[in-house]
Amino acid sequence: MLKHITWQQFLLAATLLTFLWYVAVMLLLYRKELKNFLTGKKNIAERNAEPPPNQTEEAVLPEENGNLEQDLMGKAKLPEGISIMGMDELRFKGKDDDKDRQFGNIPDLLEEMKQVFQIGVATFKARQI
């Protein structure tokens, strides 16, 4: 049965069904918003987002203008133990750290692997001669 359907027919049917699904969802769930969009009316959220014409920008955006007295919450405080620093202050390795001062399993493993590879390369070169 599926041998009679080509990929082109399948993709066309899938595209059409997907389009119809989204149209049905828009009509059922977003009926008011769609009607307002088609008639050119603004919804309540968009009207509330715009500042009233008699207010200035200082009253609406206190952080950008440096006026924090009108801000209800104030500036956010960073969690304990977190600080803001510049890129030039960020360091992952100190100036006096050397490979000789590294301790632990990983540096030991790396040194042993270097020795194994050196022995393996020397053996490989000796067999080629």
PDB file of all heavy atoms in Angstrom, residues 58-73:
ATOM      1  N   GLU A  58      11.862  59.802  31.855  1.00  0.00           N
ATOM      2  CA  GLU A  58      12.532  59.627  33.144  1.00  0.00           C
ATOM      3  C   GLU A  58      11.662  58.849  34.119  1.00  0.00           C
ATOM      4  O   GLU A  58      12.142  58.057  34.903  1.00  0.00           O
ATOM      5  CB  GLU A  58      12.883  60.988  33.733  1.00  0.00           C
ATOM      6  CG  GLU A  58      13.999  61.684  33.011  1.00  0.00           C
ATOM      7  CD  GLU A  58      14.319  63.024  33.652  1.00  0.00           C
ATOM      8  OE1 GLU A  58      13.816  63.283  34.762  1.00  0.00           O
ATOM      9  OE2 GLU A  58      15.066  63.776  33.049  1.00  0.00           O
ATOM     10  N   ALA A  59      10.353  59.065  34.077  1.00  0.00           N
ATOM     11  CA  ALA A  59       9.462  58.372  34.999  1.00  0.00           C
ATOM     12  C   ALA A  59       9.274  56.916  34.603  1.00  0.00           C
ATOM     13  O   ALA A  59       9.059  56.062  35.439  1.00  0.00           O
ATOM     14  CB  ALA A  59       8.105  59.067  35.047  1.00  0.00           C
ATOM     15  N   VAL A  60       9.393  56.618  33.329  1.00  0.00           N
ATOM     16  CA  VAL A  60       9.164  55.256  32.859  1.00  0.00           C
ATOM     17  C   VAL A  60      10.421  54.412  32.988  1.00  0.00           C
ATOM     18  O   VAL A  60      10.378  53.264  33.387  1.00  0.00           O
ATOM     19  CB  VAL A  60       8.675  55.286  31.391  1.00  0.00           C
ATOM     20  CG1 VAL A  60       8.513  53.882  30.870  1.00  0.00           C
ATOM     21  CG2 VAL A  60       7.375  56.045  31.296  1.00  0.00           C
ATOM     22  N   LEU A  61      11.601  54.953  32.693  1.00  0.00           N
ATOM     23  CA  LEU A  61      12.853  54.209  32.709  1.00  0.00           C
ATOM     24  C   LEU A  61      13.828  54.832  33.703  1.00  0.00           C
ATOM     25  O   LEU A  61      14.738  55.549  33.321  1.00  0.00           O
ATOM     26  CB  LEU A  61      13.469  54.191  31.303  1.00  0.00           C
ATOM     27  CG  LEU A  61      12.584  53.621  30.208  1.00  0.00           C
ATOM     28  CD1 LEU A  61      13.200  53.862  28.848  1.00  0.00           C
ATOM     29  CD2 LEU A  61      12.344  52.157  30.427  1.00  0.00           C
ATOM     30  N   PRO A  62      13.701  54.552  35.000  1.00  0.00           N
ATOM     31  CA  PRO A  62      14.572  55.203  35.977  1.00  0.00           C
ATOM     32  C   PRO A  62      16.014  54.707  35.926  1.00  0.00           C
ATOM     33  O   PRO A  62      16.923  55.455  36.218  1.00  0.00           O
ATOM     34  CB  PRO A  62      13.919  54.868  37.312  1.00  0.00           C
ATOM     35  CG  PRO A  62      13.132  53.641  37.061  1.00  0.00           C
ATOM     36  CD  PRO A  62      12.703  53.728  35.623  1.00  0.00           C
ATOM     37  N   GLU A  63      16.279  53.425  35.571  1.00  0.00           N
ATOM     38  CA  GLU A  63      17.641  52.910  35.582  1.00  0.00           C
ATOM     39  C   GLU A  63      18.497  53.562  34.508  1.00  0.00           C
ATOM     40  O   GLU A  63      19.661  53.823  34.714  1.00  0.00           O
ATOM     41  CB  GLU A  63      17.659  51.389  35.375  1.00  0.00           C
ATOM     42  CG  GLU A  63      17.057  50.577  36.490  1.00  0.00           C
ATOM     43  CD  GLU A  63      15.573  50.363  36.299  1.00  0.00           C
ATOM     44  OE1 GLU A  63      15.043  50.676  35.247  1.00  0.00           O
ATOM     45  OE2 GLU A  63      14.941  49.889  37.251  1.00  0.00           O
ATOM     46  N   GLU A  64      17.935  53.800  33.338  1.00  0.00           N
ATOM     47  CA  GLU A  64      18.715  54.343  32.237  1.00  0.00           C
ATOM     48  C   GLU A  64      19.083  55.802  32.479  1.00  0.00           C
ATOM     49  O   GLU A  64      20.085  56.280  32.004  1.00  0.00           O
ATOM     50  CB  GLU A  64      17.940  54.211  30.924  1.00  0.00           C
ATOM     51  CG  GLU A  64      17.767  52.785  30.479  1.00  0.00           C
ATOM     52  CD  GLU A  64      16.963  52.680  29.203  1.00  0.00           C
ATOM     53  OE1 GLU A  64      16.612  53.716  28.634  1.00  0.00           O
ATOM     54  OE2 GLU A  64      16.701  51.542  28.779  1.00  0.00           O
ATOM     55  N   ASN A  65      18.274  56.538  33.215  1.00  0.00           N
ATOM     56  CA  ASN A  65      18.523  57.952  33.438  1.00  0.00           C
ATOM     57  C   ASN A  65      19.165  58.231  34.789  1.00  0.00           C
ATOM     58  O   ASN A  65      19.343  59.373  35.159  1.00  0.00           O
ATOM     59  CB  ASN A  65      17.212  58.734  33.303  1.00  0.00           C
ATOM     60  CG  ASN A  65      16.657  58.646  31.906  1.00  0.00           C
ATOM     61  OD1 ASN A  65      17.417  58.652  30.952  1.00  0.00           O
ATOM     62  ND2 ASN A  65      15.351  58.552  31.780  1.00  0.00           N
ATOM     63  N   GLY A  66      19.483  57.206  35.564  1.00  0.00           N
ATOM     64  CA  GLY A  66      20.138  57.387  36.842  1.00  0.00           C
ATOM     65  C   GLY A  66      19.196  57.821  37.946  1.00  0.00           C
ATOM     66  O   GLY A  66      19.624  58.189  39.023  1.00  0.00           O
ATOM     67  N   ASN A  67      17.919  57.794  37.751  1.00  0.00           N
ATOM     68  CA  ASN A  67      16.948  58.224  38.744  1.00  0.00           C
ATOM     69  C   ASN A  67      16.368  56.991  39.425  1.00  0.00           C
ATOM     70  O   ASN A  67      15.371  56.441  38.998  1.00  0.00           O
ATOM     71  CB  ASN A  67      15.842  59.054  38.074  1.00  0.00           C
ATOM     72  CG  ASN A  67      14.931  59.694  39.088  1.00  0.00           C
ATOM     73  OD1 ASN A  67      15.139  59.564  40.284  1.00  0.00           O
ATOM     74  ND2 ASN A  67      13.923  60.375  38.596  1.00  0.00           N
ATOM     75  N   LEU A  68      17.006  56.547  40.522  1.00  0.00           N
ATOM     76  CA  LEU A  68      16.578  55.325  41.194  1.00  0.00           C
ATOM     77  C   LEU A  68      15.549  55.592  42.282  1.00  0.00           C
ATOM     78  O   LEU A  68      15.044  54.674  42.896  1.00  0.00           O
ATOM     79  CB  LEU A  68      17.772  54.592  41.784  1.00  0.00           C
ATOM     80  CG  LEU A  68      18.731  54.005  40.763  1.00  0.00           C
ATOM     81  CD1 LEU A  68      19.924  53.382  41.473  1.00  0.00           C
ATOM     82  CD2 LEU A  68      18.053  52.987  39.888  1.00  0.00           C
ATOM     83  N   GLU A  69      15.238  56.849  42.580  1.00  0.00           N
ATOM     84  CA  GLU A  69      14.272  57.146  43.621  1.00  0.00           C
ATOM     85  C   GLU A  69      12.873  56.679  43.242  1.00  0.00           C
ATOM     86  O   GLU A  69      12.091  56.305  44.094  1.00  0.00           O
ATOM     87  CB  GLU A  69      14.263  58.641  43.901  1.00  0.00           C
ATOM     88  CG  GLU A  69      15.568  59.139  44.470  1.00  0.00           C
ATOM     89  CD  GLU A  69      15.575  60.648  44.604  1.00  0.00           C
ATOM     90  OE1 GLU A  69      14.599  61.295  44.210  1.00  0.00           O
ATOM     91  OE2 GLU A  69      16.575  61.152  45.115  1.00  0.00           O
ATOM     92  N   GLN A  70      12.550  56.683  41.957  1.00  0.00           N
ATOM     93  CA  GLN A  70      11.227  56.289  41.528  1.00  0.00           C
ATOM     94  C   GLN A  70      11.118  54.795  41.265  1.00  0.00           C
ATOM     95  O   GLN A  70      10.036  54.298  41.014  1.00  0.00           O
ATOM     96  CB  GLN A  70      10.836  57.064  40.275  1.00  0.00           C
ATOM     97  CG  GLN A  70      10.697  58.553  40.532  1.00  0.00           C
ATOM     98  CD  GLN A  70      10.354  59.299  39.270  1.00  0.00           C
ATOM     99  OE1 GLN A  70      10.249  58.707  38.209  1.00  0.00           O
ATOM    100  NE2 GLN A  70      10.180  60.600  39.389  1.00  0.00           N
ATOM    101  N   ASP A  71      12.225  54.088  41.303  1.00  0.00           N
ATOM    102  CA  ASP A  71      12.200  52.643  41.095  1.00  0.00           C
ATOM    103  C   ASP A  71      11.697  51.969  42.358  1.00  0.00           C
ATOM    104  O   ASP A  71      12.188  52.235  43.457  1.00  0.00           O
ATOM    105  CB  ASP A  71      13.602  52.155  40.739  1.00  0.00           C
ATOM    106  CG  ASP A  71      13.609  50.723  40.287  1.00  0.00           C
ATOM    107  OD1 ASP A  71      12.520  50.196  39.983  1.00  0.00           O
ATOM    108  OD2 ASP A  71      14.691  50.128  40.219  1.00  0.00           O
ATOM    109  N   LEU A  72      10.720  51.106  42.248  1.00  0.00           N
ATOM    110  CA  LEU A  72      10.105  50.481  43.413  1.00  0.00           C
ATOM    111  C   LEU A  72      11.014  49.476  44.106  1.00  0.00           C
ATOM    112  O   LEU A  72      11.073  49.407  45.325  1.00  0.00           O
ATOM    113  CB  LEU A  72       8.800  49.797  43.003  1.00  0.00           C
ATOM    114  CG  LEU A  72       7.699  50.721  42.514  1.00  0.00           C
ATOM    115  CD1 LEU A  72       6.512  49.899  42.053  1.00  0.00           C
ATOM    116  CD2 LEU A  72       7.286  51.682  43.597  1.00  0.00           C
ATOM    117  N   MET A  73      11.710  48.658  43.329  1.00  0.00           N
ATOM    118  CA  MET A  73      12.486  47.560  43.897  1.00  0.00           C
ATOM    119  C   MET A  73      13.929  47.948  44.204  1.00  0.00           C
ATOM    120  O   MET A  73      14.555  47.368  45.067  1.00  0.00           O
ATOM    121  CB  MET A  73      12.496  46.370  42.939  1.00  0.00           C
ATOM    122  CG  MET A  73      11.129  45.776  42.682  1.00  0.00           C
ATOM    123  SD  MET A  73      10.438  44.999  44.111  1.00  0.00           S
ATOM    124  CE  MET A  73      11.509  43.613  44.280  1.00  0.00           C
TER     125      MET A  73
END
